[in-house]
Amino acid sequence: MLVKTCEDLRAGGSSPDVPLVLLNGTAIDPSQTQFRSKEQLQTQINASRRLYASAVDAAPEGEYRDIPEATHSSIPLTSPAAVADAVKDVLTRHRRR
């Protein structure tokens, strides 16, 4: 099932021509330190940065934003202004088209 899903995603074609702002919470989640070292978690965060940067680079109007005070799952709670700004920026870019 997973292999089929991955194949479908790879065959999905190019990214849509729409504005994109990708937010990445880059703080280390304290609960994750129970399972992995801080160094391992930082390595994971750095890998996420590279992955997300490549996704943004593939988008015609892509922008990547680090949210250093937020973890992956806490972005809307920790940084609601960053989320609101990203939404406003996407809508503004869309309206300019």
Side-chain angles (χ1 to χ4, degrees), residues 16-21 61 86-97:
D17 185 14
V18 295
L20 168 70
V21 175
E61 285 190 65
V87 171
K88 285 188 263 184
D89 291 346
V90 166
L91 290 173
T92 298
R93 292 173 192 170
H94 176 71
R95 289 181 184 128
R96 284 195 311 237
R97 297 173 138 228

Side-chain angles (χ1 to χ4, degrees), residues 2-3 8-9 16-17 19-20 23 25 29 33 40 48 52 55 58-59 70 77 81 87 95-96:
L2 179 60
V3 171
D8 289 347
L9 288 170
D17 185 14
L20 168 70
L23 305 178
D29 185 339
T33 60
Q40 289 172 320
S48 294
Y52 299 156
L77 300 172
V87 171
R95 289 181 184 128
R96 284 195 311 237

